Amino acid sequence: MVKIRLKRLGAHKKPFYRVVVADSRTQRDGRFIEEIGYFDPMTEPPVINIDGDKAKDWIAKGAQPTDTVRDLLKKSGIVE
């Protein structure tokens, strides 16, 4: 199963996330199929930058976003 999920980067206590499309069996920070955006929760306000066309395309192909990514997609206005 293909998932749209977060890949954690950044230093200790300073997280930075990339939104990636990956097989659900791979490690959280392991191999991925495609990077479609990023999320920086440390800025004020938090920065959400996701390619809407790629996200919609992957969802149409059957990729399941995680709960956190679904919230980010709603906040950025990509899905309802």
Side-chain angles (χ1 to χ4, degrees):
M1 172 181 269
V2 177
K3 294 252 185 198
I4 302 175
R5 64 184 185 198
L6 297 177
K7 176 180 181 175
R8 190 187 193 281
L9 301 168
H12 179 68
K13 296 204 176 189
K14 294 179 184 173
F16 181 85
Y17 299 94
R18 290 202 177 135
V19 181
V20 298
V21 179
D23 190 295
S24 62
R25 296 169 292 185
T26 60
Q27 301 173 30
R28 178 191 71 181
D29 299 336
R31 197 174 69 195
F32 60 91
I33 300 168
E34 183 177 14
E35 181 182 321
I36 62 172
Y38 64 86
F39 169 54
D40 186 1
M42 299 302 291
T43 59
E44 191 56 47
V47 176
I48 303 169
N49 185 352
I50 300 174
D51 187 331
D53 294 335
K54 287 183 182 179
K56 287 179 183 176
D57 187 42
W58 277 106
I59 290 170
K61 291 178 185 176
Q64 297 292 314
T66 60
D67 294 339
T68 306
V69 172
R70 187 175 291 115
D71 290 343
L72 293 175
L73 291 171
K74 286 180 183 176
K75 285 180 184 175
S76 58
I78 295 170
V79 297
E80 298 170 4

